[in-house]
Every structure is written in structure tokens, then in C-alpha cells.
Amino acid sequence: MEIFLGAAIGGLVGFLLAVPAMVAESSRRVKNLPVLIDIKEIFGKKLTHEELFAISLLFHLVIATLVGGIYTLFAEQGWLFFTNAPYALHSILIFSVFAWVFNGALICPAMRLGFFGRHEGPHIWFELIVLHQLIGLGLWIGFSYYQSFFFG
């Protein structure tokens, strides 16, 4: 149960962080979407502007949901060997760094975005780490709210 709640909190944090991109998309004045990685091509197919927004938003929400769910799994199973302090801010931020490394080293190359998203731009790695840390901060706020009810 806690794992699903952690994933839901991650998805909610991802959605809240994506609001600036959704506002910018509605005005159509921005070429590069804030917060979202602009996935311009997937499996060799160039994406239209609408497809780019939808795929980038989906990628962002899936990453945030997975970070929340996997962190909760690690915390509930006692696998946080690096801090032994589940649901503490420093524990979540350290986990977010590991999630950033996993995302940049495995997920991005698998989606043909290059190592840490270098095919999409020279500063994507920095955007990703800031985004992961913001997700971690949002998870901590969400976990703190629900901790007395669900998280041990």
C-alpha cells in the first residue's frame, strides 16, 4: 500500500513541477519547454510539436512516479544502506542523485537521447539533476504530510 502511495506522491510532485511547461505550452511562445526534456525524436521518427509535448510530459511523469514508488520500496524493505534514515530529507536527496545517475546512464541512452541526454542539449544533465532534486524535495514534503498515517 505504501509503495502505491509513494508512487502517487511522486506522480503528483511531477505534475506540479510540470505546470510551468503546461502553461508555456498553452501560450505557444516557448521553443524549449521548461522542466521537461524536449524529446524531439523517438525511435527514429521526428515528433510534431504536440507529440513532443505529450511524450516529454509522459516521460517526466513516469520518472517522477517511479522515483516515488522505488524510494518507498527501498525505505519499506530497509534497503537504504547509505543513510538508514527512511523518509528523511537527506536520504531522499541522496536517493534522487542515484535516480539521476540511473536515468542519465541507462534510461536516456535507451531512449536514444544520449548519455545523460546529450543529444537533446549540452545542459540537459544539469536540468535532470535539478529536476531530480526538486522531485526529492517534493517527495519529502509529501511523505512528511502522510508519515503519521502511512509511512513508518
Side-chain angles (χ1 to χ4, degrees):
M1 179 65 141
E2 288 88 3
I3 296 169
F4 293 117
L5 180 58
I9 291 171
L12 177 63
V13 168
F15 176 78
L16 292 175
L17 289 174
V19 167
M22 290 185 264
V23 170
E25 174 65 18
S26 67
S27 70
R28 296 226 182 217
R29 294 183 183 161
V30 179
K31 188 166 186 155
N32 291 326
L33 298 171
V35 179
L36 303 180
I37 297 174
D38 294 343
I39 302 172
K40 298 174 185 99
E41 184 178 308
I42 190 162
F43 304 118
K45 179 189 181 291
K46 291 235 182 237
L47 300 176
T48 66
H49 185 75
E50 291 79 17
E51 291 171 335
L52 180 141
F53 176 71
I55 296 293
S56 297
L57 183 61
L58 178 67
F59 180 70
H60 173 77
L61 293 175
V62 166
I63 292 296
T65 302
L66 286 175
V67 169
I70 293 171
Y71 179 82
T72 307
L73 173 70
F74 275 52
E76 293 297 316
Q77 297 299 321
W79 294 341
L80 297 173
F81 58 89
F82 44 87
T83 63
N84 289 329
Y87 307 111
L89 179 61
H90 69 280
S91 175
I92 296 171
L93 294 179
I94 291 171
F95 182 83
S96 295
V97 170
F98 286 120
W100 168 70
V101 169
F102 181 80
N103 185 15
L106 298 175
I107 306 278
C108 286
M111 292 186 64
R112 297 184 182 178
L113 299 175
F115 191 65
F116 285 90
R118 288 189 187 186
H119 291 214
E120 299 302 313
H123 304 293
I124 296 298
W125 67 271
F126 184 71
E127 287 181 34
L128 278 174
I129 194 160
V130 168
L131 181 64
H132 277 81
Q133 294 304 302
L134 288 173
I135 290 171
L137 181 64
L139 285 174
W140 176 71
I141 291 169
F143 291 151
S144 296
Y145 179 76
Y146 286 106
Q147 191 156 14
S148 60
F149 304 111
F150 293 101
F151 301 108

Coordinates of all heavy atoms in Angstrom, one line a residue, residues 8 25 27-28 30-31 33 47 72 84 86 90 96 118 121 125 130-132 140 147 149:
A8 N 2.2 7.5 -6.1 CA 1.2 8.6 -6.3 C 1.7 10.0 -5.9 O 1.5 10.9 -6.6 CB -0.1 8.3 -5.6
E25 N 3.2 25.8 -22.8 CA 2.6 25.1 -24.0 C 1.3 25.8 -24.4 O 1.1 25.9 -25.6 CB 2.4 23.6 -23.7 CG 1.8 22.9 -24.8 CD 2.5 22.8 -26.1 OE1 3.8 23.0 -26.1 OE2 1.9 22.4 -27.1
S27 N 0.5 28.8 -24.2 CA 0.7 30.1 -24.8 C 1.5 30.0 -26.1 O 1.5 30.9 -26.9 CB 1.5 31.0 -23.9 OG 2.8 30.6 -23.7
R28 N 2.1 28.8 -26.3 CA 2.9 28.5 -27.5 C 4.0 29.6 -27.8 O 4.3 29.8 -29.0 CB 2.0 28.4 -28.7 CG 1.1 27.2 -28.6 CD 1.1 26.5 -29.9 NE 0.1 25.4 -29.8 CZ 0.3 24.3 -30.3 NH1 1.4 24.1 -31.0 NH2 -0.5 23.3 -30.2
V30 N 7.0 29.4 -26.2 CA 8.3 28.9 -25.8 C 8.7 27.8 -26.7 O 7.9 26.9 -27.1 CB 8.2 28.3 -24.3 CG1 9.5 27.7 -23.9 CG2 7.7 29.4 -23.4
K31 N 10.0 27.8 -27.1 CA 10.5 26.8 -28.0 C 10.9 25.6 -27.2 O 10.6 24.4 -27.5 CB 11.7 27.3 -28.9 CG 12.1 26.4 -29.9 CD 13.0 27.0 -30.9 CE 13.3 26.0 -32.0 NZ 13.6 26.6 -33.3
L33 N 10.6 23.6 -23.7 CA 9.7 23.6 -22.6 C 10.4 23.6 -21.3 O 11.4 22.9 -21.1 CB 8.9 22.3 -22.6 CG 8.0 22.1 -23.9 CD1 7.4 20.7 -23.9 CD2 6.9 23.1 -23.9
L47 N 9.2 14.1 -34.1 CA 7.9 14.4 -33.5 C 7.4 15.8 -33.8 O 8.2 16.7 -34.0 CB 8.0 14.2 -32.0 CG 8.4 12.9 -31.4 CD1 8.6 12.9 -29.9 CD2 7.5 11.8 -31.8
T72 N 10.0 4.5 -1.9 CA 9.2 3.9 -0.9 C 9.5 2.4 -0.7 O 9.6 1.9 0.4 CB 7.7 4.1 -1.2 OG1 7.5 5.5 -1.4 CG2 6.8 3.7 -0.1
N84 N 20.2 4.8 6.2 CA 19.5 4.1 7.3 C 18.5 5.1 8.0 O 18.2 5.0 9.2 CB 20.4 3.5 8.3 CG 21.0 2.3 7.7 OD1 20.5 1.6 6.9 ND2 22.3 2.0 8.2
P86 N 15.0 6.3 6.7 CA 14.0 6.4 5.7 C 13.1 7.6 5.9 O 12.8 8.0 7.0 CB 13.1 5.1 5.9 CG 13.5 4.6 7.2 CD 14.9 5.1 7.6
H90 N 17.7 14.2 3.8 CA 19.0 13.9 3.2 C 18.9 12.5 2.5 O 19.6 12.3 1.5 CB 20.1 13.9 4.2 CG 20.0 12.9 5.3 ND1 19.2 13.0 6.4 CD2 20.7 11.7 5.4 CE1 19.3 11.9 7.1 NE2 20.3 11.1 6.6
S96 N 17.7 10.6 -4.8 CA 17.5 11.3 -6.0 C 18.7 11.4 -6.9 O 18.6 11.3 -8.1 CB 16.9 12.7 -5.7 OG 15.7 12.6 -5.1
R118 N 22.6 14.0 -23.8 CA 23.5 15.0 -24.5 C 23.0 15.2 -25.9 O 23.3 16.3 -26.5 CB 24.9 14.5 -24.5 CG 25.6 14.6 -23.2 CD 27.0 14.3 -23.3 NE 27.6 14.3 -21.9 CZ 28.8 14.2 -21.7 NH1 29.7 14.0 -22.7 NH2 29.2 14.1 -20.4
G121 N 20.7 18.4 -25.8 CA 21.3 19.7 -25.5 C 22.5 19.5 -24.5 O 22.6 18.5 -23.8
W125 N 21.9 17.4 -18.7 CA 22.4 16.8 -17.4 C 22.1 17.6 -16.2 O 21.7 17.1 -15.2 CB 23.9 16.4 -17.5 CG 24.8 17.6 -17.5 CD1 25.2 18.3 -18.6 CD2 25.3 18.2 -16.4 NE1 26.0 19.3 -18.2 CE2 26.1 19.3 -16.8 CE3 25.2 18.0 -15.0 CZ2 26.8 20.2 -15.9 CZ3 25.9 18.8 -14.1 CH2 26.7 19.9 -14.6
V130 N 18.8 18.9 -11.3 CA 18.0 19.9 -10.6 C 16.5 19.3 -10.5 O 15.9 19.4 -9.4 CB 18.0 21.3 -11.3 CG1 16.9 22.2 -10.7 CG2 19.4 21.9 -11.1
L131 N 16.0 18.8 -11.5 CA 14.7 18.2 -11.5 C 14.6 17.1 -10.5 O 13.6 17.0 -9.8 CB 14.3 17.7 -12.9 CG 12.9 17.1 -13.1 CD1 11.9 18.2 -12.8 CD2 12.8 16.6 -14.5
H132 N 15.6 16.2 -10.5 CA 15.5 15.1 -9.6 C 15.6 15.6 -8.1 O 14.9 15.0 -7.3 CB 16.7 14.1 -9.9 CG 16.3 13.1 -10.9 ND1 16.4 13.4 -12.3 CD2 15.9 11.8 -10.9 CE1 16.1 12.4 -13.0 NE2 15.7 11.4 -12.2
W140 N 9.7 14.5 -0.1 CA 9.9 14.7 1.3 C 8.7 15.4 1.9 O 8.2 15.1 3.0 CB 11.2 15.4 1.6 CG 11.4 15.7 3.0 CD1 11.7 14.9 4.0 CD2 11.3 17.0 3.7 NE1 11.8 15.5 5.2 CE2 11.6 16.9 5.0 CE3 11.1 18.3 3.2 CZ2 11.6 17.9 5.9 CZ3 11.1 19.4 4.1 CH2 11.3 19.1 5.4
Q147 N 3.2 10.9 6.7 CA 4.0 10.0 7.6 C 3.3 9.4 8.8 O 3.4 8.3 9.1 CB 5.3 10.6 8.0 CG 6.3 9.6 8.6 CD 7.7 10.1 8.5 OE1 8.0 11.2 8.2 NE2 8.6 9.2 8.7
F149 N 0.3 8.8 9.1 CA -0.8 7.9 8.7 C -0.3 6.6 8.1 O -0.8 5.5 8.4 CB -1.8 8.5 7.8 CG -2.3 9.8 8.3 CD1 -2.0 11.0 7.7 CD2 -3.2 9.8 9.3 CE1 -2.5 12.2 8.2 CE2 -3.8 11.0 9.8 CZ -3.4 12.2 9.2

